[in-house]
Each structure stands twice: as structure tokens, then as C-alpha cells.
Amino acid sequence: METHWLPVKESGTPLHQQIYDHIKQKIENGEWSVGTRIPTQRELAAQFKVNRSTIVYALDELTADGLIESKIGKGTFVINNTWSLLASAPPPDWNSYVKSGAYQPNIQTIQDINQAEANPHMIRLGTGELSPDLLPIDQTKALFQGESTSPFSMGYPQPKGDPHLRELVSMYLKKKGIEASPSSILIVSGGLQGLQLISLGLLHRDSTIFHENPSYLNSVHVFQSAGMNLHGIPVDDQGMVSNYISRLKKMYNGSLLYTTPSFHNPTGVLMSETRRNEVLNICTSEKLPIIEDDVYGDLYFEEPPPPPLKSKDSQGLILYMGSMSKTLGPGLRIGWVVGPEPVINRLADIKMQTDYGSSSLSQYAVSQWLASGQYENYIKDIRQNLKNRRNFTLEILNTHFKDIATWTVPTGGFFIWLKLTASLSTEKLFKKSLQEGILLNPGTVYDRSDQQHLRLSYAYASLPQLEKGLVRVAEMIKEG
């Protein structure tokens, strides 16, 4: 439970009384409804920055007043509130509503990561986004203030998105070898919404999705919450191992294959051109549609990656996804889905039912970047910055991790997939690091059975933070 309130130590009111009043207020106004499990004594003491004995005193008074109750082995729960004692009918049991919702909750580790990322003092060694220092804030402000040939509206956009932006995306995709008319492009609020729309509009419950294992899909429950099954396909240094696809298609009657060929999340692997051709040929033969996620495709360090699968798609087999979240900034929430027009029309209809279109302001900002020609120069600078950060991180790994881990050198993207050789649970390391203000992404986020890997990101933390955090992580690993 998130709270930014702290007791005032200089107040004449005792700390335990302030905490008692604060928790009682949350219970009375329904924020902590009947059945809510409250944080542990240790968590509350850390949250309110007081001794544990102060928390015990406050909780004892709340228990005496009949507001909370401790259950051995289960925790402490809200059992009543003052207004419900006077009500003619009991209050709704919101916990039952929460538990019955269709969308599955994140696993606890991801919830912990999401909460820790809100702490500005946390050293974030796994965050998959650009550092605030790298984001083009000033350039974007200048684009808004300068003259524009891009039309701008504050009204609802067209179902598929702003026509001018779709024209610009169409031209941008031609440089990647993808021929896509504006009518076959849907502007979405980031790649994740693209996946949500596909799960809602194109697939039946109990459909089977194939993906690389480990996979980003395991860290979001977009398909699982829609009642679909995920099956992983192993990854080697060339990408997804293609000879598994046909066998799995026959065994599980797969509905589609999801892949990130360029600088895969979380392994950083770049799928070779040979492997891309194999995947495309097999899926064409098996009539297995593909979702190609190319959000990292612009972030290469030396040579561009092989052409996207979509560039060789002559049968409309592939839904291609791109985004500006990994380059211009995640806060814009602008991406696109490219595919056959009937599919794009269907997804656009569902999008209008859910949000009436992506932000007009964000669409205009991306249009300005693409129309001005500044995006190409900007992305060259980002590639160089990321390459420098990768090299800096590799130096630290070579100095401090060579006896306790192995890794491959990524040629683009954000991530290094670090495999620990020491017999240490990455989940335990995650919790221990978190206590010291260091946030890691353990392998279990991407493969529930993986207790050996960490996803390291060199994109977010500052260079001093990368060094400080990684050196301390190495020490913790060696300490066992």
C-alpha cells in the first residue's frame, strides 16, 4: 500500500497516536476497506520511519477498538470501520471485487519493482527506458514553439490516428523496407496497447501464443488476462530456435507467434537474417500469424539489424509493431501497429471503444519530430550514448563479475542478460539489493523458473549509479 504521509516528530502529539489516527482515517473513509490486509509491523515502521515498538503500540489500540484483527500466519486485516457500525447494511466487500476482476495482478516482484521505481533515490539497474538525462526535452519544446507544417487539433483523432502522422510513419517504415499505406497503420498508445487490442479483437479465449523464452510477455499479463495460454520457445545466440515452431504448432494448435527479433527483451539477442528467414518460412508454411515487436530496432550501435520480418511479408502474415517509447520517451505513449487493412480496421474500432484515440498532443509531437527531419540526427546521438553506456557497463562487469557471472555483448538495445555462476537465488538477491536502495530485474520476471539471470539495463541509471550499484551487487553475490 502506497502512502506518502509521515508522522511529525516535532508535534506535541505522540508518534503512536499520529499513526493510529492516520490508519483509522484510512479505514473510516473506506480507503482501506473491510478485508484489506495491512502492511506488516516491519513494513509500517520503515514506511513511517519510526521504531517498530511505536507501530505495535498504534496497532494494539486499533485492535482494541475493533478495527483490525491479526490472524496467525496470514497477517493483519481490517475487520470493521466506524461508519459501518452505524449503517443499516454492511459495506461492500471490495476485496471480493478486486479478486474477481478479469485482469490478472502482476506477480509480487513486478509490483515491488513498480513501487520502487517511484523512489527518486533508488539506483535502477534494470529499468527498460532511457535516462531522463537523454530524453530530448528541450528539442521537443523547441519543436512546439517553432513553425509547423503539421496540422494540429485538440479534438478527438480519427479512429486509426492522425492522418498526417500515419503518412509520416509510412515514409519512416519505407526506410526499413516495409511498404505500408497510411490506411494499414494504426496509431496506438504504446506497444502494450497494441498487444491489448490484438488480444481483445483477434483472438479467442484459450488461444495459444508462442514466444521467445524468456520473454517480456511473461512480465505483463495482457494475453493471460484474456484467458490465453503462453508457450515459450528457446533462444540461442541467433534468436528464437526456429525448429521448435512446427512441432509446437501441431501440439498446441498455436494461434500466433510473438517475437522481438532486434535486441530482444530481456536477453538483448539480435536474431540473425538466416534465422529470420527460417522463422518466416516456417510460419508461412504453418499459416501461423506473427506479431513482430520492433521497438528497439532503431537502437543499433554499429550496423543496422537485418531487415524486419515484415519487409519480406508478401501474404499479410505479420502484424508489425513499432513505438517511440524507447527513443523519444515513454511518456509520449505513441506507437503503431501495421497489418492488413481489415485487421487494422477491427483494431481501430476497438480502440475507439476503449479510449477514443491516442493523445492528439503526443501525436503532434511525434509528427513534428518525423516531419522536421530531426529524428534521424537525434537517434544517432542516442545510439552513441547507449554504446558508451554499454561499454562502461562492460568494463565494470569485466572488473567485478568475471568470476561470478557470464554474459554476451549486445550490439544494440538496452539490456545485458547476466547469468550468475554462483549458487544464489536471484529473488533473494533482488530483495537484499532493494533494502540497500538498488533495484534489479531478476530473471523470474521473464521466466518463472529462472533463478540464475538478471536483466541489466545500461540505459537508465547515471554512470556513477551504474558503477556504485553494480560494484555493490557484485559484493553481495560474493557474500552469498
Side-chain angles (χ1 to χ4, degrees):
M1 295 178 181
E2 183 179 0
T3 178
H4 299 294
W5 177 86
L6 287 174
V8 180
K9 297 186 178 181
E10 296 78 14
S11 170
T13 305
L15 292 176
H16 76 271
Q17 183 64 43
Q18 293 183 55
I19 293 169
Y20 167 89
D21 292 340
H22 175 74
I23 294 177
K24 182 179 180 181
Q25 183 181 22
K26 281 191 167 290
I27 294 172
E28 286 181 340
N29 65 22
E31 286 186 63
W32 291 5
S33 58
V34 172
T36 297
R37 183 182 184 278
I38 71 173
T40 65
Q41 295 174 6
R42 189 184 304 278
E43 289 169 342
L44 287 172
Q47 184 173 293
F48 296 142
K49 303 187 187 306
V50 297
N51 293 328
R52 192 171 172 183
S53 59
T54 303
I55 298 297
V56 171
Y57 200 167
L59 296 184
D60 283 347
E61 291 193 17
L62 291 163
T63 301
D65 287 348
L67 298 176
I68 63 174
E69 180 182 65
S70 295
K71 299 179 181 180
I72 298 176
K74 294 184 178 180
T76 302
F77 298 83
V78 176
I79 60 171
N80 220 324
N81 51 38
T82 53
W83 65 264
S84 69
L85 294 173
L86 303 174
S88 59
D93 180 5
W94 283 110
N95 273 337
S96 66
Y97 285 83
V98 169
K99 293 175 182 176
S100 63
Y103 216 92
Q104 295 184 18
N106 275 322
I107 62 173
Q108 189 59 50
T109 300
I110 297 177
Q111 293 188 42
D112 292 341
I113 290 171
N114 291 339
Q115 184 172 357
E117 285 184 336
N119 181 350
H121 304 295
M122 190 70 63
I123 297 177
R124 294 159 59 173
L125 297 182
T127 297
E129 63 185 82
L130 286 178
S131 166
D133 295 336
L134 298 180
L135 295 180
I137 297 172
D138 291 337
Q139 298 100 306
T140 302
K141 287 180 181 178
L143 285 172
F144 272 102
Q145 293 168 354
E147 293 185 6
S148 171
T149 58
S150 301
F152 178 63
S153 169
M154 290 291 284
Y156 289 125
Q158 293 185 16
K160 293 182 184 179
D162 177 70
H164 184 57
L165 175 57
R166 286 186 284 123
E167 289 176 4
L168 292 167
V169 170
S170 175
M171 291 187 287
Y172 161 81
L173 292 175
K174 281 184 180 180
K175 299 174 184 178
K176 295 175 177 283
I178 297 173
E179 295 290 336
S181 64
S183 59
S184 66
I185 297 171
L186 171 66
I187 303 301
V188 291
S189 300
L192 183 57
Q193 187 186 46
L195 295 177
Q196 291 172 327
L197 294 173
I198 291 167
S199 71
L200 290 171
L202 303 181
L203 298 169
H204 298 291
R205 195 171 185 85
D206 293 325
S207 295
T208 295
I209 314 298
F210 300 140
H211 60 83
E212 290 109 339
N213 194 45
S215 175
Y216 162 73
L217 282 190
N218 286 326
S219 69
V220 293
H221 285 167
V222 57
F223 287 120
Q224 300 95 315
S225 294
M228 296 168 198
N229 306 302
L230 270 60
H231 283 281
I233 296 176
V235 176
D236 62 18
D237 61 356
Q238 299 296 306
M240 176 183 286
V241 181
S242 56
N243 56 20
Y244 281 80
I245 298 173
S246 294
R247 177 155 44 94
L248 289 174
K249 173 71 164 59
K250 291 179 175 63
M251 290 175 62
Y252 298 105
N253 190 30
S255 295
L256 61 81
L257 181 143
Y258 171 86
T259 180
T260 308
S262 295
F263 317 120
H264 171 254
N265 179 6
T267 65
V269 168
L270 175 64
M271 187 184 290
S272 67
E273 187 164 13
T274 298
R275 188 66 58 82
R276 291 176 192 232
N277 291 334
E278 291 172 0
V279 169
L280 181 58
N281 290 338
I282 292 170
C283 288
T284 300
S285 175
E286 296 288 347
K287 296 181 173 60
L288 179 65
I290 297 172
I291 300 176
E292 181 179 14
D293 193 340
D294 197 27
V295 296
Y296 301 101
D298 284 346
L299 299 175
Y300 56 88
F301 299 152
E302 300 292 345
E303 297 296 325
L309 298 171
K310 183 65 177 174
S311 68
K312 299 180 180 180
D313 177 25
S314 60
Q315 298 186 8
L317 186 75
I318 298 171
L319 295 180
Y320 176 88
M321 292 173 44
S323 173
M324 289 296 180
S325 293
K326 306 302 180 184
T327 53
L328 288 179
L332 285 173
R333 308 309 305 140
I334 293 296
W336 46 84
V337 180
V338 179
E341 283 193 35
V343 174
I344 295 303
N345 291 340
R346 167 66 170 155
L347 298 182
D349 177 60
I350 297 174
K351 179 168 171 59
M352 290 302 284
Q353 294 180 49
T354 56
D355 70 359
Y356 267 90
S358 300
S359 163
S360 296
L361 199 60
S362 291
Q363 293 191 64
Y364 177 77
V366 174
S367 293
Q368 285 289 85
W369 270 102
L370 292 176
S372 68
Q374 293 188 40
Y375 180 75
E376 288 299 323
N377 290 330
Y378 164 75
I379 203 67
K380 289 178 183 177
D381 290 339
I382 289 297
R383 289 176 193 139
Q384 188 59 52
N385 272 299
L386 286 174
K387 181 181 177 182
N388 293 342
R389 285 166 162 265
R390 179 206 63 178
N391 292 343
F392 182 80
T393 304
L394 290 174
E395 288 179 10
I396 298 170
L397 294 181
N398 286 321
T399 302
H400 297 277
F401 285 79
K402 60 183 178 182
D403 297 328
I404 55 175
T406 59
W407 58 90
T408 56
V409 177
T411 57
F414 289 172
F415 307 119
I416 295 174
W417 192 231
L418 191 74
K419 182 177 182 180
L420 304 184
T421 55
S423 57
L424 174 69
S425 164
T426 54
E427 279 292 319
K428 292 180 180 178
L429 180 62
F430 166 78
K431 293 176 181 177
K432 186 176 180 181
S433 298
L434 197 58
Q435 292 175 348
E436 297 200 19
I438 301 170
L439 182 58
L440 300 172
N441 281 42
T444 50
V445 169
Y446 312 99
D447 177 355
R448 297 290 177 86
S449 64
D450 189 330
Q451 284 287 346
Q452 287 187 291
H453 286 91
L454 299 173
R455 188 190 80 172
L456 296 182
S457 168
Y458 41 80
Y460 188 85
S462 66
L463 298 187
Q465 285 180 327
L466 279 170
E467 183 170 19
K468 179 181 177 181
L470 286 171
V471 169
R472 180 60 189 130
V473 169
E475 291 172 350
M476 284 188 276
I477 294 171
K478 293 171 184 177
E479 291 165 3

